[in-house]
Amino acid sequence: MTNIHDIAKMAGVSATTVSRVLNHHPHVNEETVKAVQRAIDETGYTKNIHAVHLKKGRTNLIGIVVPFMDQIYFSQLVDGIARAVSKTDCHLLIIQTQYIEEKELEALELLKTKQIDCLIFCSRSVQVDVIQSYSQSGKMVVLEDIQVEGISCTYMNHYDSFYAGLAFLYANGHKRISICLNRENSTSSLQRKKAFADFLNAHQLPFLDEDVVTDCLYLEDGINLANQLIQSAARPTAFLVTNDQVAAGLYTTLVRAGWNVPKDLAIIGFDNQSISKALDMTTVQIPFNKIGEQLIKQALESEATRHEIKLELIKRGTV
Amino acid sequence: MTNIHDIAKMAGVSATTVSRVLNHHPHVNEETVKAVQRAIDETGYTKNIHAVHLKKGRTNLIGIVVPFMDQIYFSQLVDGIARAVSKTDCHLLIIQTQYIEEKELEALELLKTKQIDCLIFCSRSVQVDVIQSYSQSGKMVVLEDIQVEGISCTYMNHYDSFYAGLAFLYANGHKRISICLNRENSTSSLQRKKAFADFLNAHQLPFLDEDVVTDCLYLEDGINLANQLIQSAARPTAFLVTNDQVAAGLYTTLVRAGWNVPKDLAIIGFDNQSISKALDMTTVQIPFNKIGEQLIKQALESEATRHEIKLELIKRGTV
């Protein structure tokens, strides 16, 4: 599809100038107006885009399903995707779901009714079989490790990275480690729980139910967790935490209550957000720009592929 | 436009069931299939959406222009807008610009070529006259205090809120206060600088160039600012900071270097982000959900309106 940049290039002017010509701005010289008009005529640049979509069967819209954007993991992810999209001729349609299944179905229907060319699931509530039933409706990419024919996936190896975090804590002398997760049965939480169980088993350590804390997503959840820890008598010596926001809430609340981190409690966060640098916090780096590039690449490819993203432990001062 | 929810309602089933029927899922009983089919026939529910758009001249797409989303102010803002959109029958098209003018022009062209019904500018690089030249192209809403005929605006009163922050610091004994801003000449920075100049003038305090620090947006900028302060001999006793991210970088770095906040330096942040609660930091609350609701309301209204958002100083422990 011809866009304003193509016109600008052909006419040898800036996009701003093309825009001024299109809007009959008074201060554009006649020669320029003519050059732009020639480029428009030659390319058949049209404003009747829906007619073009109807004819070509393409919308140049990529849909992404995301539960919310006020949580930094998701906003960094969407930012990475948006940066990758801005290098293509496509635009990004956001379907923010709050994990409401009907919103996710709406997104799938957008794909089926060809209102978008492809759909990326950053996270989901609907069952895999529901997504699978749309696999013939258009291109789909999911950010998790699922194996469904016709659907592309990019996934982080949460099992390996969680196991590496636990092993690092163990090597630093920690024998009672707690973990916290967000949604108990999400694909990533299941992988993380399996890594925890396997780790405990390999080191002949007991599995205690209270050492798996769930529903931790926001910084406030970390504050609450810290306040519970302060009250409790028997407690872990180390915490492997969902993400850096929860870890920052945990860390700052403990420190303000007079605790010494890592002496009183070692902490590993997740994501390598800015706040983890400011707090000199050990964490696991997620390469959001790389993930964004990969998801958009897969969204625009015709065949379905699988791609693993490696995560790296960043050693700082909280272990 | 009829959507999957309307069909579900009419057929007396869930949207998931409608989706299963549309996708010829095997496990749906015959009666249900018939009920859904009747609803589809009655409403004329069509998958040929572009034909519908072409006919109706509406896309149900709301575009938003945002520079980036890895910065919490913008991600909370987009989250607030997305929450408001999810209560309508519209979807959200994100144009992430990195403040590149051509990207903003692309967004304006989307409006002009009717690929979106309305366009919301969360922040911009192009001059006001460029936006103005598109005011007849479709509905536009900007999140800043500009007066352009035919364009709606919702704006935060940055002058009043900055002045209130300065007055609060002054009332707490501070005579040399520094401020930090992001882009030096953005609408909000100009208002904030004017508040600073007026405040100094009213209290017969000298204006020092070095007391206005610009290009502060990310947490890392606060870390750099802290490191500069630690090196400098003559320094302010208080800082009024762009946003809570910059303030958190400043605070955590100073505290880790052994400074006492607010004794050695008082800090007021901006936004009331989670991190400000965790650090017990004085800040200014921005009501993102309310702003989101307001922007979407204006995007869907036919006439252009102006709406002011009041900001509130949240007093905590860093002053």
Short mmCIF file of all heavy atoms in Angstrom, two decimals, chain B residues 57-90:
data_model
loop_
_atom_site.label_atom_id
_atom_site.label_comp_id
_atom_site.label_asym_id
_atom_site.label_seq_id
_atom_site.Cartn_x
_atom_site.Cartn_y
_atom_site.Cartn_z
N GLY B 57 -19.01 4.12 6.73
CA GLY B 57 -18.05 5.19 6.96
C GLY B 57 -17.55 5.23 8.39
O GLY B 57 -17.10 6.27 8.88
N ARG B 58 -17.65 4.12 9.08
CA ARG B 58 -17.12 4.05 10.45
C ARG B 58 -16.27 2.81 10.61
O ARG B 58 -16.58 1.76 10.04
CB ARG B 58 -18.27 3.94 11.47
CG ARG B 58 -18.69 5.23 12.10
CD ARG B 58 -19.44 4.97 13.41
NE ARG B 58 -18.55 4.78 14.54
CZ ARG B 58 -18.95 4.32 15.73
NH1 ARG B 58 -20.19 4.00 15.95
NH2 ARG B 58 -18.06 4.18 16.71
N THR B 59 -15.20 2.93 11.38
CA THR B 59 -14.32 1.77 11.55
C THR B 59 -14.37 1.24 12.98
O THR B 59 -13.87 0.15 13.24
CB THR B 59 -12.85 2.19 11.28
OG1 THR B 59 -12.49 3.20 12.23
CG2 THR B 59 -12.70 2.72 9.87
N ASN B 60 -14.93 2.04 13.89
CA ASN B 60 -14.90 1.70 15.32
C ASN B 60 -13.48 1.59 15.86
O ASN B 60 -13.24 0.90 16.84
CB ASN B 60 -15.67 0.40 15.60
CG ASN B 60 -17.15 0.58 15.44
OD1 ASN B 60 -17.60 1.07 14.39
ND2 ASN B 60 -17.92 0.23 16.45
N LEU B 61 -12.56 2.25 15.21
CA LEU B 61 -11.18 2.27 15.68
C LEU B 61 -10.84 3.66 16.22
O LEU B 61 -11.11 4.66 15.55
CB LEU B 61 -10.20 1.93 14.56
CG LEU B 61 -10.21 0.50 14.02
CD1 LEU B 61 -9.18 0.36 12.90
CD2 LEU B 61 -9.91 -0.50 15.14
N ILE B 62 -10.27 3.70 17.41
CA ILE B 62 -9.78 4.94 17.99
C ILE B 62 -8.26 4.86 17.99
O ILE B 62 -7.68 3.93 18.55
CB ILE B 62 -10.31 5.14 19.42
CG1 ILE B 62 -11.83 5.23 19.41
CG2 ILE B 62 -9.68 6.37 20.08
CD1 ILE B 62 -12.46 5.26 20.79
N GLY B 63 -7.61 5.82 17.33
CA GLY B 63 -6.15 5.83 17.29
C GLY B 63 -5.60 6.61 18.47
O GLY B 63 -6.19 7.60 18.88
N ILE B 64 -4.51 6.15 19.04
CA ILE B 64 -3.83 7.00 20.02
C ILE B 64 -2.35 7.11 19.67
O ILE B 64 -1.70 6.14 19.29
CB ILE B 64 -4.00 6.59 21.50
CG1 ILE B 64 -3.26 5.31 21.83
CG2 ILE B 64 -5.45 6.46 21.89
CD1 ILE B 64 -3.21 5.10 23.34
N VAL B 65 -1.87 8.33 19.78
CA VAL B 65 -0.48 8.64 19.50
C VAL B 65 0.25 8.73 20.84
O VAL B 65 -0.15 9.50 21.71
CB VAL B 65 -0.35 9.99 18.76
CG1 VAL B 65 1.11 10.42 18.68
CG2 VAL B 65 -0.95 9.89 17.37
N VAL B 66 1.28 7.92 20.99
CA VAL B 66 2.03 7.89 22.25
C VAL B 66 3.51 7.69 21.90
O VAL B 66 3.82 6.95 20.98
CB VAL B 66 1.45 6.76 23.15
CG1 VAL B 66 1.62 5.38 22.53
CG2 VAL B 66 2.03 6.77 24.54
N PRO B 67 4.43 8.41 22.55
CA PRO B 67 5.83 8.30 22.15
C PRO B 67 6.46 6.93 22.46
O PRO B 67 7.19 6.38 21.65
CB PRO B 67 6.54 9.41 22.92
CG PRO B 67 5.63 9.75 24.05
CD PRO B 67 4.24 9.45 23.59
N PHE B 68 6.20 6.41 23.65
CA PHE B 68 6.71 5.09 24.02
C PHE B 68 5.86 4.55 25.16
O PHE B 68 5.11 5.29 25.79
CB PHE B 68 8.18 5.10 24.48
CG PHE B 68 8.76 6.46 24.72
CD1 PHE B 68 8.38 7.23 25.80
CD2 PHE B 68 9.70 6.98 23.83
CE1 PHE B 68 8.90 8.49 26.01
CE2 PHE B 68 10.22 8.24 24.04
CZ PHE B 68 9.83 9.00 25.12
N MET B 69 5.99 3.27 25.40
CA MET B 69 5.20 2.69 26.48
C MET B 69 6.04 2.02 27.55
O MET B 69 5.52 1.44 28.48
CB MET B 69 4.18 1.71 25.91
CG MET B 69 2.92 2.44 25.47
SD MET B 69 1.77 1.39 24.59
CE MET B 69 2.66 1.14 23.08
N ASP B 70 7.37 2.12 27.44
CA ASP B 70 8.21 1.53 28.48
C ASP B 70 8.45 2.54 29.60
O ASP B 70 9.25 2.29 30.50
CB ASP B 70 9.54 1.02 27.91
CG ASP B 70 10.38 2.13 27.30
OD1 ASP B 70 9.85 3.24 27.12
OD2 ASP B 70 11.56 1.89 27.01
N GLN B 71 7.75 3.65 29.55
CA GLN B 71 7.86 4.67 30.59
C GLN B 71 6.50 4.66 31.30
O GLN B 71 5.45 4.72 30.65
CB GLN B 71 8.18 6.01 29.93
CG GLN B 71 8.78 7.05 30.86
CD GLN B 71 7.74 7.68 31.74
OE1 GLN B 71 6.62 7.89 31.31
NE2 GLN B 71 8.09 7.96 32.98
N ILE B 72 6.52 4.56 32.64
CA ILE B 72 5.29 4.23 33.37
C ILE B 72 4.18 5.27 33.22
O ILE B 72 3.01 4.93 33.18
CB ILE B 72 5.58 3.98 34.86
CG1 ILE B 72 6.64 2.87 34.97
CG2 ILE B 72 4.31 3.52 35.59
CD1 ILE B 72 6.93 2.45 36.37
N TYR B 73 4.55 6.56 33.13
CA TYR B 73 3.51 7.57 32.94
C TYR B 73 2.67 7.22 31.72
O TYR B 73 1.44 7.20 31.78
CB TYR B 73 4.15 8.97 32.78
CG TYR B 73 3.20 10.00 32.22
CD1 TYR B 73 2.28 10.65 33.04
CD2 TYR B 73 3.20 10.32 30.86
CE1 TYR B 73 1.39 11.58 32.52
CE2 TYR B 73 2.33 11.25 30.33
CZ TYR B 73 1.42 11.87 31.16
OH TYR B 73 0.54 12.79 30.64
N PHE B 74 3.34 6.92 30.60
CA PHE B 74 2.60 6.63 29.38
C PHE B 74 1.89 5.28 29.43
O PHE B 74 0.80 5.13 28.90
CB PHE B 74 3.52 6.71 28.15
CG PHE B 74 3.89 8.12 27.80
CD1 PHE B 74 5.19 8.58 27.94
CD2 PHE B 74 2.92 9.01 27.35
CE1 PHE B 74 5.52 9.90 27.63
CE2 PHE B 74 3.25 10.33 27.04
CZ PHE B 74 4.54 10.77 27.18
N SER B 75 2.50 4.29 30.07
CA SER B 75 1.83 2.99 30.10
C SER B 75 0.59 3.04 30.99
O SER B 75 -0.43 2.43 30.69
CB SER B 75 2.79 1.87 30.51
OG SER B 75 3.21 2.01 31.84
N GLN B 76 0.66 3.82 32.07
CA GLN B 76 -0.53 3.96 32.92
C GLN B 76 -1.61 4.73 32.18
O GLN B 76 -2.80 4.44 32.30
CB GLN B 76 -0.17 4.68 34.21
CG GLN B 76 0.62 3.79 35.16
CD GLN B 76 0.64 4.35 36.57
OE1 GLN B 76 1.10 5.46 36.79
NE2 GLN B 76 0.13 3.60 37.51
N LEU B 77 -1.20 5.72 31.41
CA LEU B 77 -2.14 6.51 30.62
C LEU B 77 -2.82 5.63 29.57
O LEU B 77 -4.06 5.63 29.44
CB LEU B 77 -1.37 7.67 29.96
CG LEU B 77 -2.13 8.60 29.05
CD1 LEU B 77 -3.27 9.28 29.78
CD2 LEU B 77 -1.17 9.65 28.46
N VAL B 78 -2.03 4.86 28.83
CA VAL B 78 -2.59 3.97 27.80
C VAL B 78 -3.49 2.93 28.46
O VAL B 78 -4.56 2.60 27.94
CB VAL B 78 -1.47 3.30 26.98
CG1 VAL B 78 -2.05 2.26 26.03
CG2 VAL B 78 -0.69 4.35 26.19
N ASP B 79 -3.09 2.43 29.61
CA ASP B 79 -3.92 1.48 30.35
C ASP B 79 -5.28 2.10 30.69
O ASP B 79 -6.32 1.48 30.51
CB ASP B 79 -3.20 1.04 31.63
CG ASP B 79 -3.96 -0.03 32.39
OD1 ASP B 79 -3.78 -1.21 32.06
OD2 ASP B 79 -4.75 0.32 33.30
N GLY B 80 -5.26 3.34 31.18
CA GLY B 80 -6.51 4.04 31.51
C GLY B 80 -7.40 4.22 30.29
O GLY B 80 -8.62 4.02 30.35
N ILE B 81 -6.78 4.58 29.17
CA ILE B 81 -7.53 4.75 27.92
C ILE B 81 -8.10 3.39 27.46
O ILE B 81 -9.28 3.29 27.09
CB ILE B 81 -6.63 5.35 26.82
CG1 ILE B 81 -6.22 6.79 27.19
CG2 ILE B 81 -7.34 5.35 25.46
CD1 ILE B 81 -5.16 7.41 26.27
N ALA B 82 -7.27 2.35 27.53
CA ALA B 82 -7.71 1.02 27.08
C ALA B 82 -8.86 0.50 27.93
O ALA B 82 -9.79 -0.13 27.43
CB ALA B 82 -6.53 0.04 27.10
N ARG B 83 -8.82 0.79 29.25
CA ARG B 83 -9.93 0.38 30.11
C ARG B 83 -11.22 1.07 29.69
O ARG B 83 -12.30 0.46 29.66
CB ARG B 83 -9.65 0.75 31.58
CG ARG B 83 -8.76 -0.26 32.28
CD ARG B 83 -8.32 0.23 33.66
NE ARG B 83 -7.09 -0.45 34.04
CZ ARG B 83 -7.06 -1.53 34.85
NH1 ARG B 83 -8.16 -1.99 35.38
NH2 ARG B 83 -5.92 -2.12 35.12
N ALA B 84 -11.12 2.35 29.35
CA ALA B 84 -12.31 3.10 28.92
C ALA B 84 -12.81 2.59 27.56
O ALA B 84 -14.02 2.42 27.36
CB ALA B 84 -11.98 4.59 28.84
N VAL B 85 -11.90 2.31 26.66
CA VAL B 85 -12.29 1.81 25.32
C VAL B 85 -12.99 0.46 25.44
O VAL B 85 -13.95 0.19 24.72
CB VAL B 85 -11.05 1.67 24.40
CG1 VAL B 85 -11.39 0.90 23.13
CG2 VAL B 85 -10.50 3.05 24.04
N SER B 86 -12.54 -0.37 26.40
CA SER B 86 -13.10 -1.72 26.49
C SER B 86 -14.57 -1.69 26.91
O SER B 86 -15.27 -2.69 26.79
CB SER B 86 -12.28 -2.60 27.43
OG SER B 86 -12.50 -2.22 28.76
N LYS B 87 -15.05 -0.54 27.38
CA LYS B 87 -16.47 -0.41 27.73
C LYS B 87 -17.31 0.06 26.54
O LYS B 87 -18.51 0.24 26.65
CB LYS B 87 -16.64 0.58 28.89
CG LYS B 87 -16.00 0.10 30.18
CD LYS B 87 -16.11 1.17 31.26
CE LYS B 87 -15.17 0.86 32.42
NZ LYS B 87 -14.90 2.05 33.24
N THR B 88 -16.65 0.34 25.41
CA THR B 88 -17.36 0.80 24.21
C THR B 88 -17.32 -0.32 23.16
O THR B 88 -16.78 -1.39 23.41
CB THR B 88 -16.67 2.05 23.62
OG1 THR B 88 -15.41 1.64 23.04
CG2 THR B 88 -16.40 3.10 24.68
N ASP B 89 -17.86 -0.05 21.99
CA ASP B 89 -17.77 -1.05 20.92
C ASP B 89 -16.59 -0.73 19.98
O ASP B 89 -16.55 -1.19 18.85
CB ASP B 89 -19.08 -1.15 20.14
CG ASP B 89 -19.44 0.15 19.45
OD1 ASP B 89 -18.82 1.19 19.77
OD2 ASP B 89 -20.35 0.14 18.60
N CYS B 90 -15.64 0.05 20.49
CA CYS B 90 -14.49 0.44 19.67
C CYS B 90 -13.24 -0.36 20.05
O CYS B 90 -13.19 -1.01 21.08
CB CYS B 90 -14.19 1.92 19.85
SG CYS B 90 -15.50 2.97 19.21
#
